[in-house]
Amino acid sequence: MAEPGSAKGLPVNARITIPDDELEESFIRSAGPGGQNVNKVATAVQLRFAGAASTVLGDEVKARLLRLAGQRATKAGEVLIEASRFRTQERNREDARERLVALVREALVPPPPPRKKTRPTRGSVERRLEAKKGRSTVKRMRGRVDD
């Protein structure tokens, strides 16, 4: 049973679809508890996405993707996602693909523009200095009284 959309690729948004030839799935045995099944059935999924060599992503998006991937990015520029949360191979496969799509969507969002430096207004500077003088006077008045 083929997954909908898997014939043409992995849809990220309305404009971007990752082609299947840029994705590589391999099935491995899951680690941890699971009884007899865990030692016999390869249910965990390793999903490799050739991020640096991708034809559908721009250079800036590729750089952001590899930076966001962190430990999941290889030196060759691939993003490696392992999914072993579920007991079935198909559900782990869907989970890995969903996590890759979420990562790519996050990389598609451009960073906010740098903050513009502003200066305080003259009125705010004067108000601040007046308040400081007032506090200074109050504290000076708390000193010892000379007779």
Side-chain angles (χ1 to χ4, degrees):
M1 188 166 125
E3 181 183 330
S6 65
K8 61 183 177 291
L10 182 63
V12 176
N13 61 21
R15 293 184 300 128
I16 296 176
T17 300
I18 298 171
D20 278 337
D21 59 338
E22 292 182 6
L23 297 173
E24 181 187 326
E25 288 177 333
S26 56
F27 299 99
I28 55 175
R29 290 192 181 135
S30 285
Q36 295 173 346
N37 196 46
V38 78
N39 295 324
K40 294 190 290 185
V41 183
T43 55
V45 178
Q46 267 190 346
L47 179 65
R48 284 184 185 273
F49 169 55
S54 178
T55 57
V56 293
L57 302 178
D59 292 337
E60 293 174 2
V61 176
K62 290 177 193 177
R64 278 197 299 269
L65 176 67
L66 294 176
R67 191 169 57 248
L68 282 170
Q71 292 280 346
R72 293 171 293 193
T74 64
K75 288 182 181 174
E78 293 181 330
V79 177
L80 178 67
I81 294 180
E82 289 190 15
S84 61
R85 198 182 318 176
F86 300 97
R87 288 178 61 131
T88 64
Q89 193 179 72
E90 190 57 38
R91 188 63 191 105
N92 280 329
R93 186 171 176 253
E94 290 171 17
D95 183 43
R97 286 174 165 253
E98 288 168 7
R99 285 168 39 200
L100 177 64
V101 166
L103 192 66
V104 173
R105 279 189 187 141
E106 194 176 343
L108 285 170
V109 176
R115 182 184 171 277
K116 269 178 131 175
K117 288 185 179 178
T118 57
R119 295 189 61 191
T121 61
R122 182 182 294 170
S124 68
V125 171
E126 288 174 2
R127 284 190 298 274
R128 188 180 117 261
L129 293 176
E130 285 300 318
K132 285 174 69 113
K133 284 179 190 170
R135 283 192 300 274
S136 168
T137 306
V138 167
K139 288 185 176 189
R140 204 176 325 117
M141 298 301 281
R142 289 183 191 155
R144 285 189 182 265
V145 179
D146 292 333
D147 286 329

